[in-house]
Amino acid sequence: MSTATASMKECIENCQECQTTCADMLTSHCLSEGGDHVGQDHVKLMLDCIAACAACVDFMSRNSDHHAHYCKACAEICKACADSCEKVGNMDKCVKCCRKCHESCSSMAS
Amino acid sequence: MSTATASMKECIENCQECQTTCADMLTSHCLSEGGDHVGQDHVKLMLDCIAACAACVDFMSRNSDHHAHYCKACAEICKACADSCEKVGNMDKCVKCCRKCHESCSSMAS
Amino acid sequence: MSTATASMKECIENCQECQTTCADMLTSHCLSEGGDHVGQDHVKLMLDCIAACAACVDFMSRNSDHHAHYCKACAEICKACADSCEKVGNMDKCVKCCRKCHESCSSMAS
Amino acid sequence: MSTATASMKECIENCQECQTTCADMLTSHCLSEGGDHVGQDHVKLMLDCIAACAACVDFMSRNSDHHAHYCKACAEICKACADSCEKVGNMDKCVKCCRKCHESCSSMAS
């Protein structure tokens, strides 16, 4: 029935984890800490990352023929978000899930 | 840091599972089977269920003060979707995750 | 064909305007200004407002039988967001579209 | 303040119109007509189109540096959806807004 492969299921899970971890960290950590944590570029990347992961989950779970576009964009955004989180510092949870999501989205995009 | 409780984390996971299972079943099973599986009311409920779960995940993962509204709506929609899936038949996977999601969203809404 | 009434169409338009205006103001104004504009409660409300409007547009445009829940939640969130924007100051565009969206969502919810 | 250009504003409006028109037509027309209107490929494309337009609106209204990816994907999906609607027939409203959205998303993607 389902056309989802094992690697797609893993990618969906990594996107889900990245989406919720970044949303939680943004609202409970960054917005509470202030300073570099609420820098315009950093917050915009966190929001992009959350939205990119959500779009990926949506297109993959609907078995869309067009999911690769969203995986490719998500891979790029997750990489940029991980870099920004490393620069801001004290955001190890985000760095880890963004790097993991970047990896699996890159695989699904090719 | 995070304000998410254990029960909220479980509810997020149940919503995520319900969202992706229903999206997969709608596109790979219902749209392939036809007949009652593509009835207007049934497909509309499946789409409502997918969207309600996604909104719940979004509001809970952002630690929103307003998440209870979305949990309450999701609980009601998941119940209606489970009933529709039982009536259409051969959709046990959806019935199961919708009932489970209904339970945890009801708890989070009160 | 369509079951959308004139008032639903107007409500969809007000939600769309509120969603994009708040998203634009959050990323180009609040995150640039800093200070009270990036307060945890304020940014969380802006994000809730953007998401609430998007969910409303989604449920209404799909002619969902369950749209009233989302209109009711959106009405409440838009009101809270307008109040927060007034308190922060220099956010007249947001105050105006949030009040307008609150009005039409309240009507659609009853 | 806002970084949105005139052409981005027009593109956001075309995506909003395409999203809500396709969502309305899918639920009130296709699911009511049945037959070719509920073919697996056609409904999947309609859902892709609705989601692609929503993602575009989201990324553009947040002034995201990564919006071009979503405009490019949306342009491709809108074109495929317009073709599918023409083939199914009696879906002129969708064909028209998909072609228009394809045009403006193509411009924004380059």
Side-chain angles (χ1 to χ4, degrees), chain C:
Chain C
M1 295 198 292
S2 169
T3 61
T5 59
S7 58
M8 191 184 274
K9 275 176 190 164
E10 198 187 313
C11 190
I12 288 174
E13 284 169 14
N14 289 342
C15 288
Q16 286 173 324
E17 190 200 0
C18 191
Q19 177 196 343
T20 55
T21 301
C22 287
D24 178 32
M25 284 292 280
L26 172 63
T27 53
S28 70
H29 178 68
C30 296
L31 295 175
S32 165
E33 291 287 313
D36 288 350
H37 283 85
V38 292
Q40 188 175 28
D41 290 344
H42 177 62
V43 174
K44 281 179 69 180
L45 265 175
M46 293 287 281
L47 293 174
D48 278 357
C49 184
I50 296 163
C53 289
C56 254
V57 168
D58 181 43
F59 274 82
M60 283 191 285
S61 63
R62 280 191 285 100
N63 304 297
S64 166
D65 294 334
H66 300 274
H67 73 270
H69 292 299
Y70 295 89
C71 292
K72 194 186 166 193
C74 192
E76 186 180 305
I77 291 169
C78 282
K79 193 180 180 303
C81 190
D83 291 346
S84 179
C85 288
E86 265 179 349
K87 216 168 128 192
V88 167
N90 204 15
M91 296 198 66
D92 295 350
K93 255 171 54 174
C94 283
V95 174
K96 200 178 159 186
C97 68
C98 285
R99 297 254 181 256
K100 198 171 155 191
C101 194
H102 162 76
E103 288 294 327
S104 54
C105 281
S106 296
S107 305
M108 290 304 297
S110 57

Side-chain angles (χ1 to χ4, degrees), chain A residues 3 19 21 34 38 56-57 86-87 95:
Chain A
T3 59
Q19 178 196 342
T21 301
V38 292
C56 253
V57 169
E86 267 180 348
K87 216 168 129 192
V95 173

Side-chain angles (χ1 to χ4, degrees), chain D:
Chain D
M1 294 199 292
S2 169
T3 58
T5 58
S7 57
M8 192 185 274
K9 277 177 189 162
E10 197 187 314
C11 190
I12 288 175
E13 284 169 14
N14 290 341
C15 287
Q16 286 174 324
E17 190 198 0
C18 191
Q19 177 196 343
T20 54
T21 302
C22 288
D24 178 32
M25 285 291 281
L26 172 62
T27 53
S28 70
H29 178 69
C30 296
L31 294 177
S32 165
E33 290 288 312
D36 288 350
H37 283 84
V38 292
Q40 188 175 29
D41 290 344
H42 177 62
V43 174
K44 282 179 69 180
L45 265 175
M46 293 286 280
L47 293 174
D48 279 355
C49 184
I50 296 163
C53 289
C56 253
V57 169
D58 181 44
F59 274 81
M60 283 190 285
S61 62
R62 280 191 287 101
N63 303 298
S64 167
D65 294 335
H66 300 274
H67 73 269
H69 291 299
Y70 295 88
C71 292
K72 193 184 166 194
C74 192
E76 187 180 305
I77 290 169
C78 281
K79 194 179 179 303
C81 189
D83 291 346
S84 179
C85 289
E86 269 180 347
K87 217 168 129 190
V88 166
N90 202 16
M91 296 198 66
D92 295 349
K93 256 170 52 174
C94 282
V95 173
K96 201 179 159 186
C97 67
C98 285
R99 296 255 180 254
K100 198 172 156 189
C101 194
H102 162 76
E103 288 294 329
S104 53
C105 281
S106 297
S107 306
M108 289 304 297
S110 58

